[in-house]
Amino acid sequence: MTSRVIALDLDGTLLTPTKTLLPSSLQALARAREAGFTPMIVTGRHHVAIHPFYQALALDTPAICCNGTYLYDYQAKKVIEADPLPVDQALQLIDMLNEHKVHALMYVDDAMVYETPTGHVLRTLNWAQSLPPEQRPVFTQVDSLAQTAREVNAVWKFALTDEDSAKLNAFALEVEQQLGLECERSWHDQIDIARQGNSKGKRLAQWVASQGLSMQDVVAFGDNFNDISMLQAAGIGVAMGNAADEVKAHANVVIGDNTTDTIAEFIYTHLL
């Protein structure tokens, strides 16, 4: 088989529910690298929140972050390509968040900022505190998201959470209609909002083309709605068993869930 890119979503896919990497996945991906495959992370996360996984995988490829909003070079510690939210749209979205009383985590530059410490924020903070200091992502509570949006260099995306799923879906629809932004569900209680046109599939296709390859050379693993664009575009789209049926419908193959050795088994059986 010719050399391929292995595109890997993190949460719900490569990571277990406790946010760890299975030893079997690490071993299989190391074997795949030795065989000429190129693994890369394609995530909804900020680049500051993937340090432990990037290092454990011993990658040298850039990471696609915030659902395709930007491409980050870990070796050079810089953003290579990006389509951040225009400040005026970010401010309009913040006005809508305040009006509807929806809480958000705003991903900017090299940090994630918030006004209210919601359950999602607290869970992520607890996870961050479990990491070595050099791997901890930067979380900052601010008085005003709007003021912060005016001061930073780039607003990558907003992560919205609410226990009321119907409320969250209705809000996302209103944002799409009024502001024309990209709204994608990335977790069971989270919707990500970014600049229109940004997606994992689009950014991945751009990077793959820059390497002289095509999306037919890509095997993509994912589990959530923000993974659909790359599952559809890849030569082989692999959905996890824990994915929603609507996500599975866009994949070529459905494997087991993210608690089992199913990614390793797929790599050994179909790629190596």
Side-chain angles (χ1 to χ4, degrees):
M1 181 177 285
T2 58
S3 178
R4 287 179 181 268
V5 173
I6 302 176
L8 299 152
D9 169 56
L10 289 177
D11 296 282
T13 301
L14 192 60
L15 299 184
T16 69
T18 56
K19 308 304 180 189
T20 58
L21 292 160
L22 293 170
S24 61
S25 297
L26 286 171
Q27 184 178 31
L29 287 164
R31 288 277 303 278
R33 286 188 67 188
E34 292 170 2
F37 290 78
T38 304
M40 74 180 302
I41 290 172
V42 186
T43 182
R45 289 183 177 228
H46 196 297
H47 70 268
V48 300
I50 65 175
H51 289 307
F53 317 121
Y54 189 91
Q55 291 167 11
L57 290 163
L59 299 180
D60 56 9
T61 46
I64 293 173
C65 301
C66 289
N67 299 328
T69 294
Y70 65 102
L71 186 67
Y72 186 79
D73 184 333
Y74 264 89
Q75 277 62 47
K77 292 182 170 56
K78 68 177 184 180
V79 173
I80 307 171
E81 298 174 355
D83 293 290
L85 272 165
V87 175
D88 62 330
Q89 284 193 310
L91 294 175
Q92 288 176 302
L93 175 57
I94 292 167
D95 284 342
M96 290 181 67
L97 289 168
N98 292 334
E99 179 185 345
H100 291 266
K101 294 181 171 55
V102 175
H103 299 300
L105 188 61
M106 187 169 73
Y107 293 49
V108 301
D109 296 348
D110 296 309
M112 289 164 282
V113 301
Y114 61 94
E115 290 181 4
T116 305
T118 61
H120 169 243
V121 169
L122 293 174
R123 288 193 301 272
T124 311
L125 280 170
N126 288 336
W127 168 76
Q129 289 303 309
S130 72
L131 299 173
E134 66 274 11
Q135 291 185 343
R136 287 177 192 162
V138 179
F139 284 91
T140 305
Q141 187 168 17
V142 297
D143 293 330
S144 168
L145 289 181
Q147 186 59 35
T148 303
R150 294 185 185 97
E151 294 172 351
V152 297
N153 293 317
V155 176
W156 304 127
K157 77 165 191 178
F158 287 78
L160 280 52
T161 55
D162 199 290
E163 294 179 359
D164 187 339
S165 185
K167 173 186 174 183
L168 206 55
N169 290 335
F171 180 78
L173 183 60
E174 190 171 338
V175 169
E176 288 178 334
Q177 293 172 342
Q178 291 192 21
L179 303 183
L181 296 177
E182 201 75 43
C183 299
E184 293 185 305
R185 185 169 288 277
S186 61
W187 202 240
H188 62 87
D189 63 348
Q190 179 173 316
I191 287 179
D192 295 344
I193 301 182
R195 187 171 186 162
Q196 187 175 41
N198 287 350
S199 71
K200 291 184 176 184
K202 179 181 176 181
R203 187 69 67 187
L204 179 59
Q206 290 173 345
W207 183 81
V208 167
S210 76
Q211 304 304 299
L213 301 170
S214 79
M215 287 299 287
Q216 287 303 305
D217 299 308
V218 176
V219 181
F221 292 84
D223 77 296
N224 222 308
F225 290 87
N226 60 334
D227 297 312
I228 288 175
S229 61
M230 72 171 181
L231 294 176
Q232 286 180 315
I236 304 174
V238 184
M240 304 302 293
N242 47 286
D245 288 341
E246 299 97 311
V247 178
K248 293 176 181 176
H250 294 280
N252 303 105
V253 182
V254 177
I255 58 175
D257 68 35
N258 62 329
T259 65
T260 66
D261 297 328
T262 186
I263 289 178
E265 290 167 1
F266 184 90
I267 290 172
Y268 289 130
T269 304
H270 298 282
L271 303 184
L272 299 178

